[in-house]
Amino acid sequence: MNHYDDIGKLVLRLSVGILLLMHGLFKLMHGIAGISALVQANGWPVWMAYGVFIGEIIAPALLILGLLTRASAVVIVLNMLIAVYLAHSHQLFHLTKSGGWLLELQGLYLFGALAIAFLGAGRFSVGGARGRMN
């Protein structure tokens, strides 16, 4: 593996982590009433709505740092699968007016995190390239 591979992993971790963290911080400041309603409407216990803070604040922060990277990426993948199921499943096969997939944003977070789960953190991380779960 060369130096550029580690830079690529850093760019991927930072982009997925920072962009998703912004969504989590918004929910932290403005509440999760909409998510709670979706969770309840699907017959799930309302406390499960608070999992969004794990998937959109804690896991992205760990990605940014490069700590428990693979596990954090899997948490984000699960978070995005649940988000698509609860809020966007009716849009799964729809396109935007300009021809893009309607779920581009959710797809980029999901598949970006999946790539990180397979690639790991790289050496530009707090946990190091060979760190546990990195």
Side-chain angles (χ1 to χ4, degrees), residues 7-48:
I7 293 172
K9 291 175 184 181
L10 175 65
V11 169
L12 183 59
R13 279 191 4 255
L14 292 178
S15 60
V16 171
I18 292 169
L19 294 172
L20 189 54
L21 180 63
M22 296 299 113
H23 288 272
L25 293 175
F26 180 86
K27 290 174 178 85
L28 188 62
M29 292 186 286
H30 298 281
I32 58 168
I35 295 170
S36 296
L38 286 171
V39 166
Q40 282 185 303
N42 280 275
W44 297 1
V46 72
W47 61 264
M48 290 184 76

Side-chain angles (χ1 to χ4, degrees), residues 3 12 16 31 42 45 52-53 60 62 66 69 76 83 94 115 119 130:
H3 184 67
L12 183 59
V16 171
N42 280 275
V52 73
F53 295 124
L62 290 170
T69 304
I76 292 171
H94 294 256
L119 292 169
R130 298 182 196 271

Side-chain angles (χ1 to χ4, degrees), residues 2 36 41 50 54 58 82 88 92-93 98 119 128 132:
N2 66 41
S36 296
Y50 290 94
I54 296 169
I58 295 171
I82 291 168
H88 303 286
L92 199 55
F93 300 105
S98 60
L119 292 169
R132 184 180 176 124

Side-chain angles (χ1 to χ4, degrees), residues 59-84:
L62 290 170
L63 273 192
I64 292 164
L65 293 171
L67 194 59
L68 298 172
T69 304
R70 292 179 194 267
S72 299
V74 169
V75 167
I76 292 171
V77 168
L78 293 173
N79 181 74
M80 294 313 303
L81 288 172
I82 291 168
V84 167

